Amino acid sequence: MASKTTKYAMIPLLGMSLLAAGCGGGGGNASGDYEDTSNETTPITFSYFSADASPNWNRMQDEVGKKLTEVTGVTLNGEFAVTGGGQDRVALMAASGEYPDIVSAKGEVNKLVDAGALIDLAPLIEQYAPNLQKLYGDYMDRLKYSNEDPSIYVLPTYAGVGNTYFDATGGFKLQHRVLEELGYPEIRTTEDFEKALKDYVKLHPTIDGQPTIPLTLDADDWRIQITVTNPAFWATGAHDDGEYFINPDSYEAMLHVKRPEEKEYFRWLNKLYNEGLLDKESFVQKSDQYKSKIASGRVLGLIDQDWGFADAENALKTSGKYDQTYATFPVTMSEEYLDHTFQDTGFMSGWGIGISTTNPDPVRTIKFFDYLASEEGQVLINWGIEGEHYNIEDGKRVIPEEVLNEKNNNAGPFQKETGIGLYGNIAPHYGDGVKDSTDNYYTTNFPEQIVASYSDVDRKTLEQYGATTYKDLFPKEDEFPVKPWGAAYNLPVPSGSSYSVAFQKSQDIIRKRIPEAILSTPEKFDEVFQTMLSELDKAGASEMEKEYTELVKARVELWSGSATPTE
């Protein structure tokens, strides 16, 4: 899962699937010596596949895309997954031997490595990519595929290097008008959150002639992880490692839903359901229906990442219904727990872009990525074009008010037309808070700009809680140790093994039994939950967890720079 500004933009996804490792399965130039025979002024088109959807992709006919083509001569013929994280499409590639020139397979990259579909990028980076070398710097060890195979098959693009998170975009959310009418009550625990829902729905049982929905969830396919199961570890003081909880002392892994603390979180959802506070359609509705309800303004509370419902919230903004948008809080089961959203993972290598063995010009491709990683390229993809999307005032990049208004309140069409923010998952990039040679931030996500992007309603709510940004309400990074394994949700695991079978069985069980437990009567809850635990044991969860524990330990070794390749 992803809960921070770019991590889960990200995303949506975060923790829904796992990278898997092969043993030197990649193909490409075995000698590692690539001769540069390309003509950088000649236009060239590369085919590109991404396991993420990209509804605003405009075939690089947006303003940023046109500028990229003008500077580099490169055009991307993009294909994007619509559903399922691209699993079927990547599997077909691996089986057929027909690959796009550039591929971003996310959690399915193991299939391509095992098929020999991806080249080792290390020689290309060394020969032709000074900006990439500068970007990744001391983190080059984290780009290696595994202890057994230290090749670099992907350039990480789902996390910014040197990133500082300046705002909270995921968590428990309440409409601003709910908070205002109730006098801005403290929202710290699930009890506080529940009381706000109860008090407001009692005052307003209907909104615009329709029944008020206190809380709704989106359990459509992998989205169940984002709004149902992953919030259980946030609410019980655990950190985000996808489907696992990693013991910070021993590195032992266990499926996080097995934690007794999380059982009580699901019992709380069961209580809400039986008291009529949880939308009864939560586990049967599609994502579009979920968003439609939010856009109607009658959903009081959410438990989600901003990217999961951004379209619906943008519709509310377009209609001027800012009081029906949402404030974000670090809610836990009790005050003994701290929300670990901002626990530092260091640079999270993992998901990113690779170059296939059938790519007609790997040198030209790596030079394209190198341009994207350059200062000029970074400013272009993050800020746009000077004089059109930003101006320089007293040496600082400033977004004009009319452009900022479109960016904040008409986000989809703005991105499709301008391309700003559209190339983040294609480009290796610096994180928020990193400055360029002009002492300007590479990205537009920094405190002053974040505050400028808030609506007046956001600012009013934050002022009532003594905060400037939503992050101010959350525990800070220095309250937690840095995680030496990063985030386990993008950890390589062996493909085609008993682990993969057991993991899929475990997910099928969890996705069936957790909703069943939540929708049961209170008297039946314990029985259903115990059934889930028993089924997980029978499915081989214990052995799977032991194997994963060893993988976590191996990653710590690899990322520490102490690992040596195994013959």
Side-chain angles (χ1 to χ4, degrees):
M1 153 186 160
S3 56
K4 303 174 187 175
T5 306
T6 56
K7 171 184 168 185
Y8 296 115
M10 341 47 103
I11 141 250
L13 18 143
L14 307 176
M16 73 182 195
S17 59
L18 299 171
L19 288 173
C23 296
N29 187 325
S31 70
D33 183 17
Y34 290 88
E35 183 181 356
D36 185 3
T37 59
S38 62
N39 184 342
E40 294 182 35
T41 63
T42 303
I44 187 170
T45 298
F46 292 114
S47 56
Y48 167 66
F49 171 79
S50 173
D52 269 335
S54 184
N56 295 324
W57 180 256
N58 196 18
R59 296 174 293 109
M60 290 188 74
Q61 295 306 298
D62 52 81
E63 292 160 344
V64 169
K66 289 179 179 178
K67 188 67 175 177
L68 284 172
T69 299
E70 175 189 327
V71 174
T72 66
V74 172
T75 301
L76 299 180
N77 181 15
E79 176 192 353
F80 299 86
V82 178
T83 60
Q87 295 176 353
D88 293 342
R89 181 72 177 89
V90 174
L92 180 61
M93 288 178 202
S96 68
E98 297 180 2
Y99 318 122
D101 302 326
I102 301 167
V103 60
S104 176
K106 292 183 69 177
E108 302 302 304
V109 74
N110 65 293
K111 293 182 174 65
L112 299 178
V113 172
D114 291 348
L118 301 178
I119 66 174
D120 181 2
L121 302 177
L124 285 167
I125 296 171
E126 183 177 353
Q127 290 176 260
Y128 301 109
N131 292 307
L132 289 172
Q133 293 179 48
K134 178 184 176 183
L135 173 73
Y136 292 123
D138 294 339
Y139 291 115
M140 291 299 292
D141 275 337
R142 294 196 173 197
L143 274 60
K144 296 175 182 178
Y145 193 62
S146 68
N147 288 355
E148 294 75 22
D149 180 4
S151 303
I152 297 174
Y153 294 119
V154 298
L155 300 173
T157 60
Y158 281 75
V161 179
N163 191 71
T164 299
Y165 294 101
F166 292 116
D167 203 11
T169 60
F172 288 67
K173 298 170 181 292
L174 286 169
Q175 284 186 334
H176 293 285
R177 64 177 176 183
V178 171
L179 297 167
E180 181 176 28
E181 184 158 350
L182 298 180
Y184 298 99
E186 180 182 22
I187 306 295
R188 174 62 182 84
T189 66
T190 49
E191 183 179 356
D192 298 333
F193 186 80
E194 177 184 342
K195 185 176 187 305
L197 297 178
K198 283 181 177 178
D199 290 350
Y200 194 86
V201 76
K202 184 176 180 180
L203 294 170
H204 302 278
T206 62
I207 292 174
D208 295 332
Q210 293 183 292
T212 300
I213 300 174
L215 174 67
T216 191
L217 305 173
D218 181 5
D220 187 7
D221 197 20
W222 59 269
R223 287 276 296 153
I224 190 174
Q225 293 174 309
I226 308 302
T227 76
V228 182
T229 57
N230 285 358
F233 57 66
W234 296 122
T236 56
H239 41 76
D240 182 1
D241 282 297
E243 295 312 292
Y244 290 92
F245 170 75
I246 310 300
N247 185 300
D249 299 316
S250 66
Y251 302 153
E252 289 181 295
M254 68 178 292
L255 289 169
H256 70 80
V257 297
K258 293 170 62 176
R259 298 171 62 234
E261 301 93 330
E262 295 191 28
K263 178 182 179 181
E264 297 312 306
Y265 175 80
F266 297 123
R267 191 192 303 277
W268 175 69
L269 288 179
N270 171 266
K271 176 175 181 285
L272 296 191
Y273 175 78
N274 282 285
E275 292 181 359
L277 293 174
L278 176 60
D279 183 6
K280 295 187 181 300
E281 296 179 344
S282 289
F283 294 99
V284 295
Q285 65 187 348
K286 297 297 184 182
S287 292
D288 286 347
Q289 295 170 297
Y290 170 78
K291 293 176 185 177
S292 179
K293 289 176 180 178
I294 296 169
S296 74
R298 62 192 181 104
V299 177
L300 308 183
L302 301 171
I303 306 171
D304 203 350
Q305 305 294 319
D306 282 359
W307 50 260
F309 63 98
D311 292 345
E313 194 166 48
N314 286 334
L316 291 168
K317 293 176 181 178
T318 300
S319 300
K321 299 176 180 179
Y322 290 94
D323 64 335
Q324 294 170 40
T325 62
Y326 298 86
T328 303
F329 297 92
V331 170
T332 57
M333 289 292 289
S334 68
E335 293 193 17
E336 72 178 287
Y337 298 117
L338 293 179
D339 182 297
H340 280 56
T341 290
F342 293 102
Q343 183 170 12
D344 193 357
T345 60
F347 173 59
M348 292 193 302
S349 180
W351 298 343
I353 45 174
I355 298 176
S356 73
T357 53
T358 55
N359 184 301
D361 197 336
V363 173
R364 188 79 179 274
T365 307
I366 203 71
K367 286 187 173 182
F368 174 66
F369 294 142
D370 195 60
Y371 172 75
L372 292 174
S374 71
E375 186 165 307
E376 180 179 297
Q378 293 285 285
V379 173
L380 176 61
I381 65 174
N382 284 301
W383 289 83
I385 299 169
E386 183 180 354
E388 295 183 30
H389 309 119
Y390 71 91
N391 299 315
I392 302 293
E393 299 177 7
D394 298 325
K396 297 297 181 183
R397 285 191 288 270
V398 178
I399 302 175
E401 185 175 348
E402 63 274 13
V403 175
L404 187 61
N405 182 63
E406 282 296 302
K407 183 178 182 180
N408 292 335
N409 302 319
N410 198 23
F414 175 84
Q415 187 182 66
K416 187 170 185 177
E417 178 182 345
T418 67
I420 295 172
L422 194 60
Y423 296 89
N425 286 346
I426 296 173
H429 56 275
Y430 292 99
D432 298 342
V434 182
K435 290 187 175 182
D436 63 19
S437 64
T438 69
D439 198 38
N440 279 284
Y441 291 104
Y442 277 111
T443 79
T444 59
N445 292 317
F446 52 92
E448 297 84 354
Q449 195 63 53
I450 288 170
V451 173
S453 70
Y454 284 150
S455 68
D456 290 340
V457 175
D458 279 308
R459 295 191 193 99
K460 180 179 179 181
T461 295
L462 287 164
E463 183 181 359
Q464 294 296 319
Y465 289 99
T468 303
T469 68
Y470 288 110
K471 182 182 179 181
D472 293 341
L473 303 175
F474 283 67
K476 304 300 184 290
E477 291 93 336
D478 60 10
E479 297 183 51
F480 310 107
V482 177
K483 291 164 59 177
W485 62 89
Y489 54 75
N490 63 11
L491 181 67
V493 298
S495 62
S497 66
S498 59
Y499 172 91
S500 299
V501 175
F503 180 79
Q504 187 56 56
K505 286 182 179 179
S506 74
Q507 293 308 292
D508 292 342
I509 292 166
I510 290 167
R511 293 187 185 192
K512 176 182 179 181
R513 295 303 184 189
I514 290 294
E516 183 182 346
I518 293 170
L519 300 180
S520 70
T521 62
E523 295 75 21
K524 292 280 289 183
F525 176 86
D526 285 309
E527 178 183 338
V528 175
F529 203 88
Q530 184 57 49
T531 297
M532 179 188 73
L533 296 179
S534 299
E535 289 176 344
L536 288 173
D537 284 343
K538 291 177 182 177
S542 295
E543 289 304 312
M544 179 184 75
E545 291 165 340
K546 290 177 183 177
E547 186 172 355
Y548 206 76
T549 297
E550 294 307 310
L551 293 169
V552 172
K553 292 177 179 179
R555 169 175 272 191
V556 174
E557 181 184 8
L558 177 68
W559 282 12
S560 71
S562 60
T564 55
T566 300
E567 295 297 330

